[in-house]
Structure formats: C-alpha cells, structure tokens
Amino acid sequence: MRQRLRAAGVSFFANDNIAAHLGEGELEALEGEVAQQVRGLLKALVIDVDNDHNTAETAERVARMYLHEVFKGRYHPQPKVASFPNVKELDEIYTVGPITVRSACSHHLVPILGHCWIGIQPGERVIGLSKFSRIADWVFSRPHIQEEAVIILADEIEALCKPLGLGIVLKAQHYCMKWRGVKEPQASMVNSVVRGSFRTSASMKKEFFDLIRQQESLL
C-alpha cells in the first residue's frame, strides 16, 4: 500500500485522506497491523498485556477506534453530499454553527475539541445544512494542526458548492496544552479563513462575523 502510494506520487500525511487508494480487504489488513503495533507499544511501556485483564484487548480496540472513528477521515471516503441548483438565485449570507469539532493534535495524538462556524454566500449550487456538519466531521476526524484543518475544510466546501463567498471560524481547546506541557486548562485557539466575497468586501466580511457573534450569544 505504501509503495503504491509513493509510486503514484500521492502524499499520505497525517491529515490526508487515502480512502481512494485502499484496495479490497486492505483496511481490514491495516486494522490488524495497527493492533499489532499498539500491542508492541503497550509492551514497551512495560504493561503485561498477556495477563492484565484490563489491557488484554486494548490493542484491538485502539485499532478499531483509529481506523473507524477518531481518524475515519483518513480511511473512509467523503460522505455523499448532493448539491442542488440555486434556482432562486439566493445571494444572501447564511451561517451554520456551532458545529462540534473532534480532532487530534498530529504532534501528540491527543484531542482537539471545539466548535466551528461556516458562512456561505451561495453561488450556482447549494447543499443542505446538515451536510456541512457531515463534511466537517469527516475532515476533522484526522490528526491535524488547527491552522491546516480550516483550510482543508474550506477546500472541500468550495469543491462541493462553489459559493460566491465562504468563511469559517474554528475555536478549539487543545489537550496537548491542557493535559500535558504547559497544562493551561482554559487556553484555546481561534482561527479563520475567508474567501471570495468575504475577503474582497469589507461589509460582507463584517456581516459574516456579526452573524457568528449572534449565534454565540444564544449558547
């Protein structure tokens, strides 16, 4: 699998999706390999996995968790999202959020938890509101650094509905700061990306951020 990806010139960084390059049965084989490696990690940590009832099946659980849950955005294809013609030629801004974000820091593989808001000025096509949550969950279910995660999400949304304007704000807490290192329990990170009319028009950009503040006030 790795040789095939390299031969095709396909990157397989932590935040890449490689579902299109997995052959039949390879995901199951990968699950077995991950479980074997996790068991080796536990043994290297001097945990008696052969006799400890609490960790006897931990390696298999962790393998399933990584491949089918917390990192499913790497190994599973994008959720099906149908787009529809913007027959009414709607061009007013709308925002969706807060959308719950669950990811992991690619430096330490510990959780990143937070919320994102997505703003759209529709173009020729539109997608359903729930689809933004599905796409966000798929994108964020990979090891990330937050700065890149927002850009990847923006790219996916632009490809799906080609909006005239797009804005995303992500606010999250990083357990690599809360749980380890500096151990700052209240620290968070906020970043955003604006494209199209949200970047070129100051009034559109202001309206986008004003709408987000209204949604935050309802929390």
Side-chain angles (χ1 to χ4, degrees), residues 3-208:
Q3 291 176 349
R4 190 170 65 247
L5 289 165
R6 291 191 180 98
V10 175
S11 70
F12 46 104
F13 296 163
N15 56 15
D16 285 327
N17 177 274
I18 60 171
H21 304 280
L22 294 175
E24 184 177 354
E26 286 190 323
L27 187 58
E28 291 77 8
L30 189 59
E31 186 176 325
E33 180 181 344
V34 172
Q36 181 180 357
Q37 298 293 342
V38 172
R39 187 174 292 106
L41 171 64
L42 294 172
K43 289 183 177 180
L45 292 170
V46 198
I47 297 174
D48 184 3
V49 295
D50 297 320
N51 298 292
D52 177 12
H53 61 284
N54 288 320
T55 57
E57 298 180 7
T58 295
E60 289 75 17
R61 294 190 192 100
V62 171
R64 290 193 298 270
M65 176 188 74
Y66 279 152
L67 295 179
H68 305 294
E69 295 181 86
V70 296
F71 295 161
K72 65 183 178 183
R74 295 200 77 237
Y75 308 102
H76 293 265
Q78 183 188 88
K80 292 184 179 180
V81 176
S83 64
F84 306 93
N86 184 6
V87 294
K88 296 293 186 180
E89 298 184 351
L90 303 172
D91 64 355
E92 298 293 334
I93 294 174
Y94 64 88
T95 61
V96 184
I99 296 170
T100 301
V101 168
R102 304 172 190 87
S103 190
C105 165
S106 55
H107 297 156
H108 297 94
L109 300 185
V110 293
I112 298 172
L113 302 176
H115 297 92
C116 76
W117 288 259
I118 301 171
I120 295 285
Q121 184 190 16
E124 294 182 1
R125 304 191 69 81
V126 294
I127 61 176
L129 294 183
S130 66
K131 301 305 186 286
F132 291 106
S133 294
R134 294 186 186 278
I135 294 300
D137 180 61
W138 178 70
V139 167
F140 288 120
S141 294
R142 309 171 193 177
H144 273 297
I145 64 169
Q146 185 170 328
E147 303 93 310
E148 294 178 355
V150 174
I151 294 172
I152 294 172
L153 178 58
D155 290 343
E156 295 291 345
I157 292 173
E158 280 195 317
L160 287 168
C161 60
K162 297 178 173 57
L164 296 177
L166 171 64
I168 301 174
V169 172
L170 175 57
K171 301 183 178 183
Q173 293 189 317
H174 293 236
Y175 277 70
C176 56
M177 288 186 64
K178 291 168 66 72
W179 192 24
R180 58 159 301 281
V182 294
K183 296 183 179 178
E184 287 287 351
Q186 301 303 319
S188 64
M189 179 178 176
V190 182
N191 67 325
S192 66
V193 59
V194 289
R195 294 181 178 176
S197 60
F198 291 4
R199 176 176 287 274
T200 58
S201 169
S203 62
M204 297 283 281
K205 184 175 182 179
K206 180 179 183 302
E207 183 177 352
F208 165 58

